[in-house]
Amino acid sequence: MSESTGLLGPTAIREIAAALGIRPTKTLGQNFVHDAGTVRRIVRDAGVQSGDAVLEVGPGLGSLTLALLEAGAYVSAVEIDPVLARALPTTVSARMPEASGRFAVLLQDAMAISDAEMLAVPDDFGRALNSAASGQELGSAPALTVDAIAEKRSFAPRALVANLPYNVAVPVLLTLLENLPSLETVLVMVQAEVADRLSANPGSKIYGIPSVKAAWYATAVRGAKVSRNVFWPVPNVDSALVRLDRHPILTQTPREDVFAIVDAAFAQRRKTLRAALAPWAGSPARAEAVLRAAGIDPQVRGERLGIADYIAIADASRALS
């Protein structure tokens, strides 16, 4: 395809950015992908099929968005930058007009999405949203008529596919997994170190809070490394893909209880669990009692435990209360 249609190449990326007066900012983690092979690989590795409902966070100038639409997906994109959010429908219409009815964009902080009802619906109704957005000030949701609200269907995405900003990748990922139970698979491009941590196993040096909390929701597998040269501007760190496949709910134990223990266990990595969990439990003695009731050696460290162990600690604590 030429630079005037289809996926975005280096020339198109710079032309669109120049037209919008955009200079990528580190604050928003803006590094735009300009390689068609990379975005197509992301879509392929995500297993996106024609007709799939896909959520994209941080679409930027639209490189990955267009690749998802090319695969036949219905895409709801969430963008925090108002300039980029307003420009994205125009880019899609100009470069892939046949896919405009399968795309909608929402100006929103992804951390503030509490359920699927907040997402724009990418179908003929999505087309109406985009038309309205081009002529009005975007807010947390476009203004709708009473009839449009009555016709609105919730958009329950099956997959999250995104190039996540490095500085907020983990909190965004965990928030969306919690708030959008419809998500079955996740394929995100993140800083390579983050991908390693998310997919790390108990006992490894990089195993930590992101590893345990991600395991609450899904099984994470580290994917391919991504060259720095496919980005503009070129970042100072390496990137990699990581895939997460949601598994059935592990327990009825409240997530907040388990995550509080995880946070306490890793707050002082070098300490034994008896010492590290003392502030959480109220005393070293009670921490030891809870750990023994959970069948865990009080002298081990937090990085040796898997998510099932942390659930067992939370259950033992409740039983001893």
Side-chain angles (χ1 to χ4, degrees), residues 40-60:
R40 283 182 173 134
R41 179 175 64 180
I42 292 173
V43 173
R44 182 176 66 250
D45 289 356
V48 173
Q49 302 294 318
S50 179
D52 280 349
V54 176
L55 170 64
E56 183 187 7
V57 173

Side-chain angles (χ1 to χ4, degrees), residues 5-27:
T5 60
L7 304 188
L8 299 177
T11 300
I13 286 286
R14 285 170 172 77
E15 287 178 349
I16 294 173
L20 297 175
I22 288 176
R23 296 181 64 86
T25 68
K26 291 185 178 180
T27 303

Side-chain angles (χ1 to χ4, degrees), residues 186-231:
V186 172
L187 195 289
V188 290
M189 181 160 57
V190 294
Q191 186 176 342
E193 180 182 349
V194 173
D196 291 337
R197 290 185 180 280
L198 285 169
S199 57
N201 293 316
S204 70
K205 292 182 179 180
I206 57 174
Y207 182 76
I209 290 176
S211 321
V212 185
K213 291 185 176 180
W216 171 270
Y217 302 100
T219 300
V221 178
R222 167 68 145 75
K225 180 180 177 181
V226 179
S227 170
R228 301 183 186 191
N229 295 326
V230 305
F231 294 94

Side-chain angles (χ1 to χ4, degrees), residues 57 78 80 108-114 172 175-176 179:
V57 173
V78 177
I80 195 172
Q108 179 70 59
D109 181 349
M111 292 288 290
I113 295 174
S114 57
V172 165
T175 296
L176 293 175
N179 293 343

Side-chain angles (χ1 to χ4, degrees), residues 5-315:
T5 60
L7 304 188
L8 299 177
T11 300
I13 286 286
R14 285 170 172 77
E15 287 178 349
I16 294 173
L20 297 175
I22 288 176
R23 296 181 64 86
T25 68
K26 291 185 178 180
T27 303
L28 295 179
Q30 291 175 330
N31 297 94
F32 302 119
V33 181
H34 57 65
D35 180 65
T38 297
V39 292
R40 283 182 173 134
R41 179 175 64 180
I42 292 173
V43 173
R44 182 176 66 250
D45 289 356
V48 173
Q49 302 294 318
S50 179
D52 280 349
V54 176
L55 170 64
E56 183 187 7
V57 173
L61 296 176
S63 299
L64 180 56
T65 308
L66 290 167
L68 289 165
L69 292 170
E70 180 184 63
Y74 285 72
V75 180
S76 183
V78 177
E79 175 58 60
I80 195 172
D81 186 316
V83 174
L84 294 176
R86 293 189 186 95
L88 203 52
T90 300
T91 299
V92 170
S93 296
R95 305 187 71 85
M96 207 169 287
E98 72 281 3
S100 295
R102 292 185 279 108
F103 167 75
V105 62
L106 179 68
L107 176 63
Q108 179 70 59
D109 181 349
M111 292 288 290
I113 295 174
S114 57
D115 59 60
E117 292 291 335
M118 298 182 68
L119 300 176
V121 182
D123 53 12
D124 289 337
F125 181 73
R127 190 193 304 274
L129 288 182
N130 289 330
S131 297
S134 64
Q136 68 176 49
E137 184 71 18
L138 287 173
S140 60
L144 306 174
T145 66
V146 174
D147 289 341
I149 292 173
E151 295 173 2
K152 184 179 187 299
R153 295 186 295 103
S154 64
F155 180 77
R158 182 195 70 81
L160 167 65
V161 184
N163 172 21
L164 292 179
Y166 293 150
N167 54 343
V168 294
V170 171
V172 165
L173 179 60
L174 295 178
T175 296
L176 293 175
L177 282 169
E178 175 62 24
N179 293 343
L180 298 176
S182 66
L183 288 175
E184 300 173 7
T185 64
V186 172
L187 195 289
V188 290
M189 181 160 57
V190 294
Q191 186 176 342
E193 180 182 349
V194 173
D196 291 337
R197 290 185 180 280
L198 285 169
S199 57
N201 293 316
S204 70
K205 292 182 179 180
I206 57 174
Y207 182 76
I209 290 176
S211 321
V212 185
K213 291 185 176 180
W216 171 270
Y217 302 100
T219 300
V221 178
R222 167 68 145 75
K225 180 180 177 181
V226 179
S227 170
R228 301 183 186 191
N229 295 326
V230 305
F231 294 94
W232 176 73
V234 177
N236 296 322
V237 295
D238 292 322
S239 299
L241 303 179
V242 61
R243 180 183 173 110
L244 295 94
D245 291 283
R246 190 188 288 271
H247 50 56
I249 296 175
L250 299 173
T251 179
Q252 295 303 310
T253 306
R255 175 186 58 85
E256 294 80 3
D257 292 355
V258 178
F259 281 15
I261 299 168
V262 173
D263 289 337
F266 286 93
Q268 304 176 74
R269 284 185 72 107
R270 295 182 180 275
K271 291 191 174 183
T272 65
L273 280 172
R274 182 183 189 276
L277 295 184
W280 163 81
S283 69
R286 186 174 188 280
E288 179 170 347
V290 170
L291 289 165
R292 292 195 181 282
I296 295 170
D297 182 354
Q299 297 305 307
V300 303
R301 291 177 171 80
E303 59 263 31
R304 307 299 303 184
L305 305 187
I307 185 61
D309 299 311
Y310 284 104
I311 292 171
I313 296 171
D315 289 340

